[in-house]
Amino acid sequence: MFSVVSFTRHLPAARTAHPGTLVPPLTVVGSPAAKAALRSATGAEAVDMESAAILAAAQADGLEAVVVRAVSDGAAESVPAELSALLGPEGRLRGGLARLLALTRPQALPRALVLRRGSRRALAAVARVLAA
């Protein structure tokens, strides 16, 4: 787990930032119950698969690092297992599997599009903070 420090006084666009702890899970945490259990076990504010490697490398080299993250799916939202399986270990979309899922389970597409919108909103929020 990694602690998050608030930089709101240094980054005006981060005025809604929330300091807390990020936990790097071994797999996607998709259900509200699994998210609640992870929070209960770790006290983490959010799950962050992608930044753990960056922070671990910086820490191993004795360097300071800052992570600016935005939440794309909240604790009360579920991510179906079939959609979670589309992400690789680094959080990258497995394009071939996504196309196969679209052909074999088209009913999964509406939820996938909702998750995509959430991801885009989160990325835009991070971009605003970094541009400040």
Side-chain angles (χ1 to χ4, degrees):
M1 287 190 301
F2 299 96
S3 292
V4 179
V5 179
S6 175
F7 289 90
T8 55
R9 66 180 173 266
H10 303 294
L11 298 171
R15 63 184 170 279
T16 60
H18 180 76
T21 300
L22 300 175
V23 61
L26 298 176
T27 62
V28 174
V29 182
S31 73
K35 293 175 185 182
L38 190 59
R39 179 175 171 84
S40 177
T42 65
E45 295 294 324
V47 172
D48 184 342
M49 296 177 73
E50 299 84 6
S51 300
I54 295 167
L55 294 172
Q59 189 176 43
D61 289 342
L63 302 171
E64 292 186 16
V66 175
V67 173
V68 178
R69 302 294 295 178
V71 176
S72 60
D73 58 296
E77 296 178 82
S78 64
V79 177
E82 61 196 0
L83 295 179
S84 297
L86 299 179
L87 296 178
E90 294 91 25
R92 293 180 189 256
L93 181 68
R94 295 175 172 152
L97 286 178
R99 287 186 288 282
L100 181 62
L101 182 65
L103 292 171
T104 60
R105 303 251 313 135
Q107 64 271 29
L109 288 176
R111 182 65 182 129
L113 293 174
V114 168
L115 290 170
R116 182 175 126 187
R117 273 193 305 275
S119 292
R120 287 184 172 178
R121 279 193 304 269
L123 288 172
V126 169
R128 284 191 302 275
V129 169
L130 295 177

